[in-house]
Amino acid sequence: CHVFMDWRELRPTAAYPWDQLCDFLDGRGVPDLDDALVSLELQPVHHAFNELLAPDLVRRLADLAEHPNGVVAGDRPTSRERAEFSQAAWARCEDVIQKAQAIYRSRRSAAGLDPPAPIQPRQIGPVFRERLHGVMRMPTVEAVFAAPWPAAARRVLPSPSPQRTATVIWGPILAWCAIETIAESIQPKDSDRIALDLFDRLRLREPLAQAFQSLGLVGEQGWRVAARIKVLLLARPSAAQAPGHADDPVLSPDESPTAVASQEPAAPGPSGAIASEAESEGLRHDLWLDPDVRWLTGVHDADGHTYLVQEPYEELLWWLQMPSIIKLAGVPSPDKASAARMASSVNHALAAASAAQYRVDLLAGQGTENASQPAISEPPAVEPADSYDPISDGVPGLSNAAKPN
């Protein structure tokens, strides 16, 4: 039996379409009707993201990507085929932008915040296509590095010898490109903070996770990759002062949304600006408090200390280089110095973690011992790198219940 109590009568209005929610739920129960109403409002943009990340389009992206000579047998894709794909991808991304802009403005207005005046999607189209051009050239970038990428990099980035299926690799990158483009269409001058606010305010975690599952990421792996995108948005230096709550204002008080939106959107940066995201080594101290970072890096307690797991941490470090690698791939002559800085950033971060014996408190600057002379003699045992499987293996020390909301 079910006992229903505390009845109240709700009449639909333009602001509260309870009748549409009733039809949408079709008899299902929800913990919170107001929250369900928000989810209903977000359905159009979530559906548009699903269309952009549909397996057929992501597979096409993987097939048309440029590879070093001799890697791909048979006929290589033509410039015309790539141009046609870029146009098809932009058509779906434009739909995402139109819906995201409208709902983002509505959500900010509902929170009592002044929504910025967005740029027309057609004005931002060249920026998306230029970014997509760099994405399709990503497999060629590994050759610019002094040494071949390790297995951890090839599990999260496109390369001539990836360790994951094509759609699993390319889908998250296409999703990130869309989020970046939406943010630039809303406010180019502050797109980093806008992108982070978009992720939360439009509740993109669940639709992205579901889309990634349809691309081949089994179970909670789809959620992990969605969390990885959130961490990438959070890790950028300009996002360090981003609002901690989705209802905090994003615009500074002296900044006119109209004036910002009237500017031409900036194209991806020149080669001189490449690898700016990779200048700092490892994660910022405050990021070790973030639940997504802790989940993705396998943070767990053992022997009275808190540790990370090396393999997923290395994956995250390489994933954080992805925007710089896209910029590097987008220039005619990729700069080896920029590639060296990225590799050095990852290697130094891994060396620091090893010196700290993978203790998170030392990496976060909270420990009292010198990281090079830890108080403990041996870190807890973890699986060797050659047996680590991010698909089938769970994170040591964590259960499914530890998955963040």
Side-chain angles (χ1 to χ4, degrees), residues 6 41 74 78 104 117 138 145 152 170 183 192 204 219 225 229 239 294 337 340 354 384:
D6 301 323
E41 181 185 8
T78 65
Y104 183 73
M138 286 183 74
F145 284 70
W170 291 96
D192 286 354
L204 296 181
V225 177
I229 291 178
R294 297 173 74 87
S354 178

Side-chain angles (χ1 to χ4, degrees), residues 318-404:
W318 277 104
W319 168 254
L320 294 179
Q321 312 306 314
M322 183 264 289
S324 295
I325 291 175
I326 292 178
K327 291 179 182 179
L328 189 64
V331 298
S333 300
D335 181 16
K336 291 186 177 181
S338 297
R341 284 195 296 271
M342 282 184 262
S344 176
S345 173
V346 174
N347 291 335
H348 278 81
L350 291 173
S354 178
Q357 295 203 354
Y358 305 102
R359 276 181 51 182
V360 173
D361 57 337
L362 295 180
L363 292 176
Q366 299 169 349
T368 56
E369 300 91 353
N370 187 320
S372 63
Q373 297 176 349
I376 57 176
S377 58
E378 291 292 337
V382 296
E383 296 182 64
D386 56 0
S387 67
Y388 174 68
D389 182 359
I391 292 294
S392 60
D393 292 358
V395 175
L398 291 184
S399 66
N400 288 340
K403 181 174 66 176

Side-chain angles (χ1 to χ4, degrees), residues 182-195:
I182 297 169
E184 291 167 354
S185 77
I186 291 174
Q187 192 174 340
K189 192 175 181 180
D190 202 14
S191 60
D192 286 354
R193 297 176 70 198
I194 289 287

Side-chain angles (χ1 to χ4, degrees), residues 44-170:
V45 70
H46 291 176
H47 178 73
F49 259 104
N50 286 333
E51 290 297 311
L52 176 65
L53 300 176
D56 65 320
L57 191 74
V58 178
R59 168 57 64 181
R60 187 66 174 155
L61 171 61
D63 292 341
L64 293 176
E66 295 185 30
H67 289 269
N69 292 333
V71 172
V72 179
D75 295 333
R76 296 181 180 276
T78 65
S79 298
R80 178 178 178 179
E81 288 176 318
R82 292 194 176 104
E84 290 174 350
F85 168 79
S86 294
Q87 188 59 37
W90 166 243
R92 299 195 194 187
C93 186
E94 185 177 20
D95 186 47
V96 175
I97 293 174
Q98 290 174 339
K99 291 179 169 63
Q101 284 182 346
I103 296 176
Y104 183 73
R105 287 174 57 84
S106 173
R107 297 295 304 141
R108 285 185 62 84
S109 296
L113 304 174
D114 293 332
I119 294 173
Q120 290 295 323
R122 64 177 180 274
Q123 293 179 263
I124 205 76
V127 176
F128 175 81
R129 285 189 285 267
E130 182 67 20
R131 182 172 283 127
L132 195 61
H133 169 72
V135 168
M136 287 193 285
R137 297 194 70 247
M138 286 183 74
T140 67
V141 173
E142 185 178 353
V144 182
F145 284 70
W149 285 351
R154 290 183 281 115
R155 284 195 291 265
V156 297
L157 298 172
S159 77
S161 54
Q163 294 227 332
R164 307 278 285 276
T165 58
T167 53
V168 166
I169 294 285
W170 291 96

Side-chain angles (χ1 to χ4, degrees), residues 231-232 234-240 274-288 313 316-318 320-321 324 338 340-350 352:
V231 171
L232 177 58
L234 190 63
R236 292 179 295 191
S238 53
I274 291 173
S276 60
E277 296 90 341
E279 295 300 330
S280 60
E281 296 167 355
L283 299 177
R284 293 195 317 265
H285 289 176
D286 61 294
L287 288 178
W288 286 110
Y313 179 50
L316 183 61
L317 290 173
W318 277 104
L320 294 179
Q321 312 306 314
S324 295
S338 297
R341 284 195 296 271
M342 282 184 262
S344 176
S345 173
V346 174
N347 291 335
H348 278 81
L350 291 173

